[in-house]
Amino acid sequence: MALFDENTTIEPAPRPRMSRRTLAGVWALAVAMVVLLIITFLPTSYVIQRPGPVYNTLGSAENAEGEEVPLISVEGAQTYPTDGSLDLLTVQVQGNRERTPSWFELAMAWFDPSKAVLPVDAIFPEGQSTDDRNAESAQMMVNSQHEATAAALTELGYDVGAQLSVFSIIDGAAAEGVLQEGDLILEANGEPVADVAALREVINDGEGDPVALLIERDGEQQTVEVTPKESTAGDETTWIVGVNLITDYDFPIDVTIQLDNVGGPSAGMMFALGIIDTLTPEELNGGEQVAGTGTITADGEVGPIGGIRQKMWGAVDAGADWFLAPEANCDEVVGHIPGDLRVFSVEDLDDALTVLDAVRDGGDLDALPTCTAG
């Protein structure tokens, strides 16, 4: 008995036809995927902030030649061994005006708590190129190193010989043709001025009257007169001479900070702490790992910085247990502290040293200021 009939043709069953609704759905999905793919590569107007490298101010870093060198070195004074770390944190920016992140990259960043999506104007102001921003950031870093050195040495009892220096003059300003770049401003109306705040106070007290400035130019002192111009912002009126100033110091010892490819002023406080630790017999941190951030002035005032949430994540990733945060940044800290990181609020260098004393000596950390909801 035959199992198959060779004269019989077997045809496959016809495929069921898609309904119009199903076909429309398939086409809609395909179009959506194409549109999504196109949007992914369209330019955006945002950049991404993320945690950057962490540097131990008590350790070493690579110099421009790729050699490992001490991040902080001192000549002209006794130095002491250190232990543990006093970490400074950095933030990396993904994107710039020339090349912004894709929409896909932005979407991924929105769901990552260690990253922040910001308008490109917040990081790169209109009219400022990436090269301009890098140059400005590098100058801020240099200034912060000088201020940190002044703050640390002042804390240790050294006289740092602060002097105001003219960095640049604004076109059309009252000082144009009177002051020159590099002039040292010693007195204003007979009063010594060692910082910008002191000079500003003398100028504004005169309410537009000419100001007699004792300056030093090319090693010689002379008196010049500048008549300030009125400046109004909202309801506030001030008097300005139109110069950008920096503070020069005559440090009694040589402090060198070597940290390439990092800009901005936010490492100032940690530089100061690293210098103090290097110049004092006892370890400030008791050999523990402490991280922190904040600008600093020569008189030890700690100021706010950007990207503090990313910096806290950087501290956790680096293994830090304690974090020193500027009091002015506390509103950004509350509710965003990662892991078991303990964050302390500091307003000046003395506050930071108090926290380190407690960490080193096992003091009452719970009694120290922290960031709390306002």
Side-chain angles (χ1 to χ4, degrees):
M1 181 177 180
L3 295 178
F4 300 100
D5 187 345
E6 58 196 25
N7 296 317
T8 301
T9 301
I10 301 177
E11 297 182 358
R15 293 181 181 178
R17 297 181 62 184
M18 282 191 281
S19 67
R20 290 183 178 179
R21 179 177 297 179
T22 302
L23 187 60
V26 171
W27 275 106
L29 179 61
V31 170
M33 294 298 292
V34 171
V35 170
L36 180 61
L37 183 63
I38 294 173
I39 290 176
T40 296
F41 293 100
L42 285 177
T44 66
S45 57
Y46 298 91
V47 293
I48 299 170
Q49 276 189 339
R50 62 188 180 190
V54 176
Y55 299 93
N56 178 13
T57 60
L58 306 178
S60 61
E62 283 191 2
N63 63 12
E65 288 73 39
E67 302 170 335
E68 284 288 327
V69 296
L71 198 150
I72 295 174
S73 57
V74 177
E75 292 184 7
Q78 176 68 49
T79 60
Y80 300 89
T82 60
D83 196 8
S85 64
L86 292 171
D87 292 334
L88 67 86
L89 296 315
T90 67
V91 171
Q92 289 184 327
V93 177
Q94 179 182 345
N96 51 47
R97 284 200 172 276
E98 291 75 35
R99 193 275 181 192
T100 57
S102 68
W103 286 105
F104 177 76
E105 290 170 317
L106 293 178
M108 296 296 290
W110 264 310
F111 292 100
D112 187 338
S114 71
K115 297 179 180 179
V117 176
L118 301 173
V120 67
D121 288 342
I123 305 298
F124 300 93
E126 187 71 35
Q128 185 184 54
S129 68
T130 302
D131 289 341
D132 291 339
R133 178 182 181 274
N134 290 341
E136 181 182 44
S137 184
Q139 183 61 49
M140 288 181 180
M141 169 58 79
V142 171
N143 291 342
S144 76
Q145 292 176 0
H146 283 97
E147 294 292 299
T149 302
L153 296 186
T154 299
E155 178 70 28
L156 295 173
Y158 290 94
D159 180 4
V160 297
Q163 290 183 317
L164 276 183
S165 174
V166 176
F167 179 71
S168 63
I169 301 171
I170 300 171
D171 290 340
E176 189 173 30
V178 180
L179 294 175
Q180 297 179 9
E181 293 181 9
D183 285 348
L184 296 178
I185 300 178
L186 309 178
E187 295 180 358
N189 287 346
E191 297 182 26
V193 287
D195 56 41
V196 175
L199 177 60
R200 185 180 293 122
E201 182 177 357
V202 173
I203 293 172
N204 281 289
D205 284 348
E207 297 183 339
D209 291 339
V211 179
L213 300 176
L214 177 64
I215 66 171
E216 181 178 315
R217 180 181 298 165
D218 299 327
E220 296 184 0
Q221 293 187 5
Q222 58 180 289
T223 299
V224 298
E225 191 175 87
V226 181
T227 302
K229 293 183 178 181
E230 186 176 4
S231 175
T232 303
D235 297 329
E236 185 178 3
T237 297
T238 57
W239 299 90
I240 60 175
V241 297
V243 293
N244 294 314
L245 301 168
I246 59 175
T247 305
D248 284 337
Y249 301 96
D250 183 16
F251 295 130
I253 61 177
D254 292 328
V255 177
T256 302
I257 300 175
Q258 300 190 78
L259 186 60
D260 292 327
N261 300 319
V262 176
S266 64
M269 178 182 67
M270 298 311 292
F271 283 147
L273 293 173
I275 294 168
I276 293 173
D277 204 355
T278 301
L279 289 169
T280 51
E282 194 172 18
E283 296 161 356
L284 288 187
N285 55 8
E288 299 292 336
Q289 185 170 0
V290 181
T293 186
T295 65
I296 200 163
T297 60
D299 60 3
E301 182 180 348
V302 174
I305 51 83
I308 193 164
R309 295 179 189 175
Q310 288 69 55
K311 289 177 180 178
M312 288 191 293
W313 279 99
V316 169
D317 292 342
D321 298 309
W322 295 277
F323 188 92
L324 306 176
E327 189 277 336
N329 283 119
C330 272
D331 59 336
E332 301 173 74
V333 170
V334 175
H336 299 280
I337 299 175
D340 297 324
L341 190 68
R342 294 198 67 174
V343 179
F344 300 95
S345 168
V346 298
E347 294 186 54
D348 53 37
L349 188 56
D350 286 340
D351 286 348
L353 291 170
T354 298
V355 174
L356 293 178
D357 287 345
V359 170
R360 180 188 64 237
D361 301 332
D364 186 4
L365 294 172
D366 293 334
L368 299 176
T370 58
C371 290
T372 57

